Amino acid sequence: ELKKNGYVVLKDLLEPNLVEELFKITKTLKCTNNQLDQNTPKIYFDEKTCTLPTYYYEQNELLKNQAVKSVINYFDNLKISDYYFASKPYLIAVNMWWSTVSDKPDSFAAQKYHFDIDSIKWLKFFVYLTDVGEDGGPHSYVEGTHKPFSKPFKILKRGYERISDEEIKSYYSSEKIKKILGQKGTIIIGDTSCFHKGVFPQKKSRLIFEVSFANSFFGPLL
């Protein structure tokens, strides 16, 4: 299913105690609304006062947490990356971030369709740490667009940019455009060379955890 569609949702949820431990990190670590500027002040996340689209936790601080290490090991031991790459996988990134309530998508926050270029081959393992319904900021992807020649040349020739819902719908049927709903603990594995986005939450902020594996260290390491 992963090779065919580019994404798969695992049948089993992440263990509740690991979900709880990952969520607890938000009470002890500060986050930032700007990953690119190290001088941006870090704050504790508060849904009432944090009104920018996204707030991120720093990777090196996440990697000090035992629950984070346990989840990385769990994903590694599934051997899905080994199978998908047909080679040894390497950990290239760990991320966790809040997406806050809004009434419109934010391009910088990856809330418009795009595709990633992280390495030669890579997979991202996402875990919902909050319940995600239709209005809770579901992950969305366009099925099968990880395959060669699956993306319109008209889009590709513009270079790497965000793509509107309207343009995606002009090229792909509604059956190909998938939204992933799920309770906290839901695990999604994606080849994010697919067109994908995070839908902006409309009622409650969404917290998501992500681990990325690649078949080499070639490419931009986060």
Side-chain angles (χ1 to χ4, degrees):
E1 185 177 347
L2 176 60
K3 286 194 169 184
K4 177 184 176 183
N5 298 331
Y7 271 80
V8 67
V9 180
L10 298 190
K11 294 179 181 179
D12 295 328
L13 301 176
L14 187 66
E15 292 181 14
N17 64 307
L18 287 176
V19 173
E20 183 179 355
E21 288 302 314
L22 290 176
F23 192 90
K24 281 182 180 178
I25 293 173
T26 68
K27 307 300 182 184
T28 58
L29 286 186
K30 292 183 178 180
C31 55
T32 176
N33 64 286
N34 190 339
Q35 280 183 305
L36 303 179
D37 184 357
Q38 297 297 320
N39 296 319
T40 303
K42 292 183 179 180
I43 58 173
Y44 290 110
F45 183 80
D46 184 333
E47 193 162 17
K48 295 179 181 177
T49 58
C50 293
T51 57
L52 293 173
T54 48
Y55 291 84
Y56 301 88
Y57 293 91
E58 206 275 318
Q59 177 175 257
N60 289 336
E61 293 181 349
L62 289 172
L63 286 168
K64 295 175 184 177
N65 186 280
Q66 185 56 50
V68 169
K69 295 176 185 177
S70 296
V71 176
I72 293 170
N73 288 334
Y74 172 65
F75 290 153
D76 189 32
N77 290 335
L78 290 176
K79 302 299 180 184
I80 293 173
S81 298
D82 305 58
Y83 172 74
Y84 194 78
F85 303 150
S87 66
K88 177 181 173 62
Y90 298 91
L91 177 70
I92 61 169
V94 177
N95 290 292
M96 187 167 76
W97 70 95
W98 288 98
S99 298
T100 60
V101 174
S102 180
D103 58 2
K104 61 181 179 180
D106 182 85
S107 181
F108 184 78
Q111 293 173 350
K112 291 186 178 181
Y113 282 105
H114 61 286
F115 58 91
D116 298 337
I117 309 174
D118 285 12
S119 188
I120 299 171
K121 290 183 179 180
W122 69 94
L123 285 175
K124 295 190 177 183
F125 291 67
F126 302 93
V127 183
Y128 286 160
L129 298 180
T130 50
D131 294 334
V132 177
E134 184 72 32
D135 54 11
H139 198 76
S140 178
Y141 70 97
V142 184
E143 186 179 278
T145 52
H146 63 307
K147 297 177 180 179
F149 309 110
S150 61
K151 299 179 181 70
F153 178 68
K154 186 176 180 181
I155 290 178
L156 293 179
K157 72 178 183 180
R158 300 201 303 259
Y160 188 70
E161 66 175 25
R162 304 306 196 210
I163 305 150
S164 69
D165 287 16
E166 291 72 25
E167 188 166 15
I168 287 291
K169 290 176 182 177
S170 73
Y171 287 106
Y172 302 100
S173 68
S174 58
E175 289 78 18
K176 291 289 185 182
I177 302 172
K178 308 291 187 180
K179 284 184 180 179
I180 302 175
L181 312 182
Q183 66 189 91
K184 58 185 179 182
T186 296
I187 300 170
I188 307 159
I189 306 173
D191 178 336
T192 58
S193 62
C194 268
F195 284 129
H196 66 283
K197 68 172 183 175
V199 180
F200 60 91
Q202 298 174 55
K203 289 190 176 180
K204 189 176 181 181
S205 296
R206 182 199 71 176
L207 180 65
I208 195 166
F209 179 77
E210 172 199 286
V211 176
S212 299
F213 293 100
N215 68 339
S216 77
F217 287 118
F218 178 81
L221 300 182
L222 302 178

